[in-house]
Structures are given as C-alpha cells and as structure tokens.
Amino acid sequence: MEGTDDYKPELAREAVNVIENVAGAHPGYRRVHARGYVYEGVFTPNGKASPLTVASHLQDEAVPVIIRFSNSSPIPSHPDAISPVKGMAVKFHLPNGKVSDLITVTIPLFFAKTPQAFVDIAGFFQSVKEGFPNLKELAKILWKYPESKASLQMLKEMRSPASFSTCQYYSIHAFYFINKEGRRQAIKYEWVPDAGLSMLEKGEVAEHSPEYLDEEMEKRLKEGPVGFKLNIQIGGENDPTDDPTTAWSEDKQVITIGHLMISKKSEVCKILYCLIQPIFLKESSARKTGSCIFAIVRMPFHMNVG
C-alpha cells in the first residue's frame, strides 16, 4: 500500500483500544458503524469511466450489489438520530466472480490526518464522556492538529437525515484510477441521491423511533427502488491525495459514471456481508493514494463485525 510508511501496527491496536474505552466493548459488532441495515440492488455504469480505469464494474455492464447503510456510532443500541454521520458501503459483485468494495460516509472530510492524530483526538472524546470537556485539552489538540478543525466544525453543524436515501455520501480518501495504458488519475467518489437532500430539524428528532431510518427505508422501498448517482471528482495538480482532512479545489471536474438502484432489504446477506472492507480494491481500478490514516481503519473493521 502506497504512502503508509508511517503506519505502525501498535497505533492501530491503540486506536481500537481508545474506541473501546470511549464506547465500551460490544462483542459481535464492528468497532465503528456498529449497527447497519443491508439491502440488495444493481449498479449500472455508463461507460464514462472507461478512459480512466480498467475496472470491469465501471465499464458498460450492470452488476449486482449489496449495500449496507449504517450509523457511525460504535454503540449498536444507539438510536439512529444519535449519530448524524451515516455510512454507505457498497459491495460490487464483478463478472469474474470477485468483488470490489466502496466505503463512503455523509461527511466529506475526516478529523484525523495521521494514526497518531486519530488516537489523540479519540482520547479527548473519552475525557468528554467522563465529565465536562477539558477546554484547555481541546485547545491543545486544535493547536497540534489545526487541520482537524474543518471536520470537527462540520460534525458540530450536522443534523440527522430524514432518510438514508436523502444523504450525499463521500469517500473521504482519494484513490487512483488506472487505465489500460497504465496512466493513473486521482479521484474521489460521491453518491448523490435521486430523492434530493433532506435533513431533520432539531425539534423533529424526538418524534422519531430509535430505528426510524430502517423503518423509513422499508416504507420507501415498497413504493419503488431507491436510486443514487455515482460521481467521481477529478483531482487536480494541487489537490492533496494524502490528506483526508483537506478539501479539494471547488472548481474540480465532476463526472457521473453510473447509477445505483436499491430494490429490497436483504435478510440473507445481513451477516454474510458484514465484512465490507474499506481497503478491498480489485483489478487495479482504484488504488489507495498516500494517506497513512487509511491503513489504520483496517483493524476496527477486521476485529468484531456485525
């Protein structure tokens, strides 16, 4: 994996321990995005990615997919409204029998650039849980990791979605598309909902049940499929590929490369497809770029899944 020279296994283990210190241990569930709902659908590419990548699922043939929507909270019993950040993981079943996974969330920036930053900031969340937040400690963290301020501000302002189907989802990390000539192009993914964006007002949250997002999707799917466009952002010369805390330039080119249609909830795949991995990339279609924080996410997903 490129750009992971700073990755240290002991930091990954420490990150997992910090998550457990904050949220407690929940055997049988993954460390983050603990509770999720699994659906089935079809992804149809439009061929516009073909000049950029050899990935078979991004050419011109529709492929079946499994989709897992999730709450970001590491606590599986948390109500849907508790954690405004949501996840959308898509497993593409390729024509050759292999799979490719795409992990996205409803916030475009991550709060940590490096594994050490992740551990330090997560440690601050532990102090908040134990009592009043230590503002001096927060000031130290923001001074030490000023790049984290943008994401933390976004988290503060986020509201709970009206539906999993009315969120826009971002890959956060950059990837390289590689075409048949071997040329690579930095990109970021985003899922754009056909239904448009819709969030709950603060006063509406209390009116909803703990699993209102699952209930809403069940009702919505009875009326017809749920759709998303898959866009890619084309990275420019000055857009960082190794820093998920920094936004790319606003004038970046955006290309729609396909469309996802979600048709039904999948009870059969609820357990079988819990291992949707953020590093499971096939066919040299989208190799991870140089962000070393990407390496640390492996352990929370491998240890305890559900």
Side-chain angles (χ1 to χ4, degrees):
M1 182 178 297
E2 294 182 48
T4 57
D5 293 341
D6 294 332
Y7 170 67
K8 299 177 181 179
E10 60 271 21
L11 272 179
R13 287 188 288 271
E14 186 176 353
V16 173
N17 290 337
V18 167
I19 294 171
E20 285 203 346
N21 289 340
V22 173
H26 301 279
Y29 290 89
R30 62 180 73 215
R31 294 302 208 278
V32 291
H33 291 259
R35 189 169 83 227
Y37 311 100
V38 184
Y39 303 85
E40 298 178 24
V42 173
F43 176 75
T44 304
N46 59 19
K48 291 185 179 180
S50 297
L52 301 174
T53 177
V54 297
S56 58
H57 62 298
L58 300 180
Q59 303 303 313
D60 54 12
E61 181 180 345
V63 295
V65 295
I66 297 296
I67 306 96
R68 183 183 189 263
F69 290 109
S70 61
N71 296 322
S72 58
S73 173
I75 301 175
S77 61
H78 265 174
D80 290 344
I82 287 291
S83 54
V85 177
K86 306 302 176 186
M88 178 180 176
V90 180
K91 182 180 289 291
F92 301 87
H93 289 260
L94 310 183
N96 62 6
K98 297 181 180 180
V99 296
S100 183
D101 293 346
L102 174 56
I103 310 299
T104 55
V105 291
T106 55
I107 188 169
L109 301 178
F110 197 54
F111 65 83
K113 180 179 179 179
T114 65
Q116 187 60 60
F118 178 90
V119 169
D120 290 348
I121 295 172
F124 170 75
F125 293 151
Q126 168 68 13
S127 71
V128 173
K129 179 187 175 185
E130 292 173 349
F132 291 103
N134 186 326
L135 298 182
K136 288 185 178 180
E137 190 63 28
L138 176 59
K140 288 180 181 179
I141 288 175
L142 293 179
W143 179 83
K144 186 176 182 180
Y145 305 114
E147 69 277 5
S148 300
K149 186 175 181 179
S151 178
L152 294 176
Q153 183 63 35
M154 287 181 180
L155 287 170
K156 180 181 177 181
E157 297 173 358
M158 289 188 75
R159 291 182 291 157
S160 298
S163 170
F164 283 128
S165 67
T166 60
C167 298
Q168 186 158 329
Y169 298 84
Y170 308 87
S171 63
I172 292 184
H173 298 286
F175 298 83
Y176 283 122
F177 270 0
I178 302 175
N179 66 12
K180 60 184 179 181
E181 285 81 29
R183 179 180 176 273
R184 68 180 191 173
Q185 170 63 56
I187 63 97
K188 287 185 177 182
Y189 294 100
E190 57 185 24
W191 291 107
V192 180
D194 291 353
L197 302 179
S198 180
M199 304 294 150
L200 296 179
E201 297 296 335
K202 290 184 178 179
E204 295 179 300
V205 173
E207 302 172 4
H208 290 71
S209 71
E211 297 189 21
Y212 79 92
L213 289 173
D214 182 41
E215 296 164 1
E216 195 282 336
M217 278 291 284
E218 184 174 355
K219 179 180 178 180
R220 186 179 292 259
L221 285 170
K222 288 180 179 179
E223 299 174 357
V226 170
F228 288 85
K229 291 190 302 183
L230 180 58
N231 290 347
I232 55 169
Q233 305 169 15
I234 302 298
E237 183 178 352
N238 297 320
D239 290 323
T241 59
D242 61 350
D243 184 0
T245 68
T246 302
W248 280 5
S249 55
E250 295 183 1
D251 61 348
K252 57 186 175 296
Q253 182 184 5
V254 177
I255 303 173
T256 298
I257 63 172
H259 190 261
L260 170 67
M261 291 296 284
I262 302 171
S263 57
K264 63 179 180 179
K265 192 172 184 180
S266 177
E267 295 298 334
V268 175
C269 297
K270 187 173 183 180
I271 300 299
L272 182 62
Y273 286 95
C274 64
L275 273 173
I276 296 181
Q277 300 292 352
I279 55 167
F280 204 17
L281 308 170
K282 293 293 183 179
E283 297 187 327
S284 300
S285 60
R287 291 180 182 171
K288 183 64 198 69
T289 59
S291 173
C292 63
I293 189 65
F294 191 75
I296 204 172
V297 301
R298 290 180 295 181
M299 192 165 283
F301 279 84
H302 277 296
M303 300 175 66
N304 279 6
V305 294

